[in-house]
Structure formats: structure tokens, C-alpha cells
Amino acid sequence: MRLIIAGGGSGGHIYPAIAIVKSVRDLVGSLDVLYIGTNHGLERDLVPRHNIPFATIHAKGLLVKGLNGKMQGVWAALRGLLEAMGHIRRFKPDVVVGTGGYVSGPVGLAAVLMGVPLVLQEQNVWPGFTNRTLGPRAKRVIVPFEEAKKYFRAGTSFAVIPNPVVITVEQDRAALRQEMDIAA
């Protein structure tokens, strides 16, 4: 299976994406994955630490103040859309998953335009702009709460599944206390 996953800007988008990659790997065994983020978000540092191949596109928020900020956001989204289409063309994914954040917009739209199934994962009751906008075009929108459905447009296909998490503990309590300089 070949999977492109996109999400970024905050840990709230990145950690669920990483958990999805881990879960899909565990389920299907062989998984070729490409994580698409930005070169200025937290994902740039977090994703490679989890041995997930990482690529970037240009993306900025569209819901910013001022005409200049909005114009920069539109320009970045258009540029990011073309870059995302290039990544999809080269990688040839079976599915694209978006976990939100402004980087998911161009990647999700590229998937839709190129006929690649899009799945969105929303972490909150009040969905973000990107997921609300792409929701009706997605094959499925995964929400953690039934209440979240009412914020999406008609025609959106849902699955209600709790937020994905990966729990890893690589050190014991004493080592963590020492590392964080906390008295025992």
C-alpha cells in the first residue's frame, strides 16, 4: 500500500498523523508512506524522528488579517497545490490522508483533482477550515465525536472513531526525572 499523509502546523495535527502511519503499518505490514508538510512547521522536526519519509510544499494560512496576508496565503496555496500534484504524480499513492492544518488544503485538493481517494481525520468537535472545506470531496471524514458531523456540509461521508494516539515510553521514571531535573 502507498499512502501520502499531510498535516501540520501544530502537534494536534502531526501526532495523529504519525499515529495513523504507525497503525496502518501495523495493519497492512508493508507500507510505503510519504508525509507532506511545510519546511517551517513543527512537522519538519517531528516527522523524521519517527522514520517517516518527509517532503515539503509551500503553504500558509488563508484566514489571516490584512489583504497582503490573505494574498500571500492564496499564492502559497496555489504554489503548494502544484507542488502537491508533483508529489502525488511521482509517489502514486493509493490514498491521501489529511489531518488538518493549512498544509492539508493543497495536498487534499490535489488528491481530489487527480482522482486519488482522500480521507480526512479531524481531531476536534469544531472542525478546522481545511477539513470543513474538503469534507464533502473526501471519500470519508473521520471524526472523534458524533457532534462534529453537524459542522460539515451535506454530502459528507463520516466514520466516528476516537482520535489516534501512539504511546511510547522509552525511559523509566527515574531516567525521565533525571533528564528533566526533577527531584525523586
Side-chain angles (χ1 to χ4, degrees):
M1 176 178 194
R2 298 180 67 77
L3 167 74
I4 285 182
I5 193 157
S10 74
H13 299 299
I14 301 163
Y15 285 109
I18 291 169
I20 289 168
V21 169
K22 182 183 179 337
S23 295
V24 172
R25 276 184 177 154
D26 290 347
L27 284 171
V28 302
S30 176
L31 176 69
D32 291 324
V33 64
L34 177 64
Y35 191 116
I36 299 178
T38 66
N39 65 357
H40 53 80
L42 289 173
E43 64 272 17
R44 178 192 67 200
D45 297 322
L46 293 176
V47 172
R49 290 184 203 167
H50 292 270
N51 298 317
I52 299 171
F54 182 73
T56 63
I57 64 167
H58 287 83
K60 289 184 177 188
L62 296 173
L63 304 177
V64 295
K65 291 183 179 180
L67 181 60
N68 188 40
K70 286 181 181 11
M71 293 303 291
Q72 288 179 10
V74 168
W75 172 246
L78 290 172
R79 187 174 176 187
L81 174 63
L82 294 174
E83 293 166 338
M85 290 174 90
H87 287 303
I88 290 171
R89 192 175 299 110
R90 284 185 295 279
F91 192 77
K92 297 177 178 33
D94 297 304
V95 65
V96 171
V97 175
T99 61
Y102 46 81
V103 71
S104 287
V107 177
L109 183 56
V112 170
L113 292 173
M114 297 176 77
V116 177
L118 173 65
V119 175
L120 300 174
Q121 191 276 329
E122 176 58 52
Q123 303 84 35
N124 305 295
V125 170
W126 171 251
F129 175 77
T130 299
N131 282 352
R132 284 193 325 268
T133 303
L134 289 172
R137 293 165 185 83
K139 183 87 170 160
R140 184 90 65 235
V141 177
I142 300 167
V143 294
F145 310 104
E146 190 74 31
E147 306 89 82
K149 291 179 177 182
K150 68 183 176 186
Y151 298 107
F152 287 89
R153 285 187 257 160
T156 303
S157 176
F158 295 99
V160 179
I161 301 172
N163 282 324
V165 295
V166 173
I167 300 171
T168 59
V169 178
E170 297 176 11
Q171 296 175 306
D172 63 26
R173 180 177 273 180
L176 288 171
R177 285 184 173 278
Q178 181 179 2
E179 184 177 314
M180 294 187 286
D181 197 26
I182 298 173

